[in-house]
Amino acid sequence: MFDEVTASNLIVVNAQGEIISGDAKYNPAGFTIHSAVHNARDDAHCVIHTHTLAGMAVAACEKGLLNLNQISAEFHQQVGYHEYEGVAFNLDERERIQASLGNNMALILKNHGLLSVGETVADAFQIMFYLNKACEIQLAAGQMSGLSSIDIIPDKLASYVSGQFKKVAHERQIVWDAWLRKLDRIDPSYKE
């Protein structure tokens, strides 16, 4: 279970799927997805993939993530989309995942979930946190009106906002440090 994960029970797996250190088993579909990104991107020091309710709901939307708010505008033209191919057991899918991600900071795996890429854990976490938050907002907005009368931010303005967020990307470490302090207060056993 995710709440059982600690630093000491993580494993290291090479690009061929061989366990280098640790003795736990791993999810082969997770290996396909994560290894695809690590093999293609030198900056992919951390890859996060989730199956949250909001993320999976937006992944099922034909138009994907919409420019509904300031948070979603951060991701304007920085999210790739990958068509659903079933459970990712087929290693051949890696090339298509790589093409779908391109140089984007995130990927929405259609009918599946979300993925973020970062040079650091702080980067990947912050990207995922706010991508999922944008999905939560879209899900809530859709419940209010079925997205028929939602005010969408125009592309030009969304592009401007996205650029503003790029200028403060260096602040991700500050936010990550704050999350770690909070986790230390709640349950420091994750460090074990």
Side-chain angles (χ1 to χ4, degrees), residues 23-39:
D23 59 2
K25 295 180 181 177
Y26 64 85
N27 178 322
F31 171 75
T32 298
I33 294 167
H34 286 263
S35 66
V37 179
H38 286 296
N39 288 342

Side-chain angles (χ1 to χ4, degrees), residues 22-185:
D23 59 2
K25 295 180 181 177
Y26 64 85
N27 178 322
F31 171 75
T32 298
I33 294 167
H34 286 263
S35 66
V37 179
H38 286 296
N39 288 342
R41 298 268 300 263
D42 290 338
D43 64 332
H45 297 191
C46 183
V47 178
I48 298 175
H49 171 54
T50 64
H51 295 164
T52 64
L53 174 66
M56 292 176 74
V58 170
C61 291
E62 182 180 349
K63 294 184 180 180
L65 184 65
L66 302 175
N67 293 323
L68 297 183
N69 56 75
Q70 178 170 295
I71 294 173
S72 60
E74 175 180 2
F75 299 99
H76 182 70
Q77 296 182 336
Q78 295 188 72
V79 176
Y81 290 88
H82 180 68
E83 292 299 322
Y84 185 65
E85 298 184 25
V87 179
F89 293 142
N90 182 353
L91 291 176
D92 292 342
E93 187 177 356
R94 292 191 291 190
E95 290 179 17
R96 294 181 293 282
I97 291 170
Q98 293 164 351
S100 298
L101 176 61
N103 290 322
N104 292 305
M105 69 166 80
L107 181 67
I108 294 180
L109 296 109
K110 299 290 283 178
N111 307 101
H112 185 161
L114 307 177
L115 181 141
S116 65
V117 178
E119 290 190 31
T120 66
V121 174
D123 289 336
F125 176 82
Q126 184 96 341
I127 291 164
M128 180 58 73
F129 180 82
Y130 284 106
L131 178 59
N132 190 68
K133 186 64 68 179
C135 291
E136 289 174 354
I137 293 166
Q138 183 166 321
L139 186 60
Q143 290 172 340
M144 291 188 308
S145 69
L147 297 179
S148 63
S149 62
I150 297 294
D151 188 18
I152 305 268
I153 298 171
D155 283 347
K156 185 175 180 180
L157 180 55
S159 183
Y160 172 73
V161 172
S162 179
Q164 289 180 303
F165 276 105
K166 284 180 186 175
K167 292 177 183 176
V168 295
H170 65 279
E171 296 178 6
R172 290 180 182 144
Q173 186 63 46
I174 295 167
V175 176
W176 173 249
D177 292 341
W179 280 109
L180 289 179
R181 288 192 306 273
K182 182 175 183 174
L183 187 54
D184 284 340
R185 289 189 302 273

